[in-house]
Amino acid sequence: MVRLEFHDPSGAIEVTQAHAARVAALASKRVGFVSNEQWQAYRMLPLLKGLLEADFPGIEVLPIDAFPQGNAVIGSEETAALVKASGVDAVVIGNAA
Amino acid sequence: MTNAVAGLGLAPDAAMVTFPIEMFLPGSDIGPVRARKQEFYDGLTRWRSSLAGAGAGEPPMLRVEGTSVEDTFARANHLMLANRWGDGLPLWPPTRERVDWILRGTAEARGRRLGTFPPRGGVTTVESCAIALAMAGGRPEYLPVLAAAVEAFLDPESGSETLQAASGSAFPVVIVNGPIGARIRLNAGFGCLGPDPQRPAGASIGRALRLLQQNLGGALPGIGTMANYGGLRHTNVVFAEDEASLPAGWTPHGTERHGFPSGTSSISLAFANGAANIRRRGAKKETPEEDARQGMHRMADFMRVPNMAGLAGYEHGTPGILMIPGVVAQTMVGLGWTKASIREFLWEHSRIPAEALRRAGGPAWIEIDTSKVVRESLVLDPWPITAQPENFVIVVAGGGHPTNSYWLQGYSPGVVGRRIEPPAAFESLLAEAERDLGPA
């Protein structure tokens, strides 16, 4: 038999931060949207906002434009700070394609 | 995109609800959002990351066994393709011996970290480069060029974080200046963008960069990169400027764009999304002046297109890389043209009339751009394709023949330069290449 040993070329992935904790339930929670305004987000996110409001008593879903919109700004530290300052319990980010 | 969040330091999973592309098109039926609302709710409540750990772990070595050398080599290649690490062409298995041999091309520690490759976030080291170069059939003397190109690629100024995943099929263009190009057999002349057994360095270096984009960066077509066409990605574009053919008074590209002293071995990295050969030479009894001017108009005509992806480099990057043969550059200088006047001409004559821009929907893209300079350019009629003439990259390359020039259309937020740092023992590597490959 001929044996060959070689490096795995996919390398390592470094995990430095965990994902945000999930909320236990959505009733009476405050939810925000961060939109890049692309890929029909202007239709899909309002639909999802309405569904959340209909399905969970006491939920407060912020307007879709509560935070800066557009690819250019949604990834910025400023937008992240605004989201944190808003006191939302959860955030939905859309849309990618 | 199933792994992009790893590039942000997060575990390579995330709570996502994905749909077929049809729902994201204008006028689509968005009913599936309603039908699958529970998945959104679960993502906000019940979802848990499957990767709880932190830190980086090196993957183990891989082992294959076969009944013969040929069988073992085939099994290794099958394993790499099955794991999505290949490109369809034969790969040299990156054995410890092979990678250690490649690492003779650097004085750097093998574990020196160069960054993380977007979007997947694979930790990128000097050894990662050597592994990719080994797979791509490379040699030790290519490693300093590849390492410099990778550093430039990972520089945020290059825009690679976006371009790696975007649909626009951007590919890196690596221009090498200085003596190292000829010494490692990197092509600057005829066929410099294609394979060349006499000057094989460009294909290996470019292929290695592509393997890094894919294997560390996760840029798998349709999964990690939405590049519709992925043009020129087998070997990307790696060539040397033909400095021996530069007209008097022209500085090498690395000096002009990045300020490296003339004679410095360096790379310059930009991104392009298109490539066009331009029949530059006249066909009848043109005077030298007419021949030059008509050729310039023809080049500008190729540039006068609504390349909305080019907005990414409108202010600080480049609208593209124009390659012209040395004989053409020398002739034009003899007629009184300078590199600056060539750029001015191209900038002026590639401007797009506002009406043409409007009917192509260009203003909408300009209005939403992040750059104030881009947004404010909308008042200009005709509209210049880049903020200033200096943004055009002009390099001399392509052999001693006057008929064609070549336009690599830009999709390049920046043009990033790096010095190339060969090891002290570089001469012995070149001597080995002479022994292995014959006289250069």
Side-chain angles (χ1 to χ4, degrees), chain B residues 18 61 76 102 152 166 185 212 244 311 313 316 359 411:
Chain B
T18 59
M61 296 289 282
I102 297 276
R185 305 173 192 228
L212 288 165
L311 294 177
H316 301 297
R359 73 183 179 216
Y411 181 6

Side-chain angles (χ1 to χ4, degrees), chain B residues 39-59:
Chain B
E39 293 179 49
F40 288 96
Y41 303 165
D42 288 346
L44 295 168
T45 55
R46 300 172 56 182
W47 177 87
R48 298 288 181 272
S49 174
S50 60
L51 296 168
E58 289 298 322

Side-chain angles (χ1 to χ4, degrees), chain A residues 2-8 10 12-19 22-23 40 43-44 47 51-52 55-56 72, chain B residues 8-9 11 13 23 28 37 41 43-45 47 55 57 62-66 72 94 96 113 120 123 370:
Chain A
V2 178
R3 294 183 177 82
L4 203 55
E5 185 177 82
F6 54 93
H7 291 272
D8 177 331
S10 64
I13 293 288
E14 190 172 43
V15 178
T16 56
Q17 55 185 317
H19 294 292
R22 306 292 113 170
V23 295
Q40 309 305 307
R43 296 195 289 140
M44 291 160 64
L47 171 60
L51 292 169
L52 284 161
D55 288 346
F56 299 100
Chain B
L8 304 174
D13 60 349
M23 203 176 73
S28 65
K37 63 181 182 180
Y41 303 165
L44 295 168
T45 55
W47 177 87
L62 304 165
R63 293 178 184 81
V64 294
E65 286 187 354
T72 310
R96 189 170 279 124
R113 187 171 165 140
R120 174 173 169 262
V123 176
T370 57

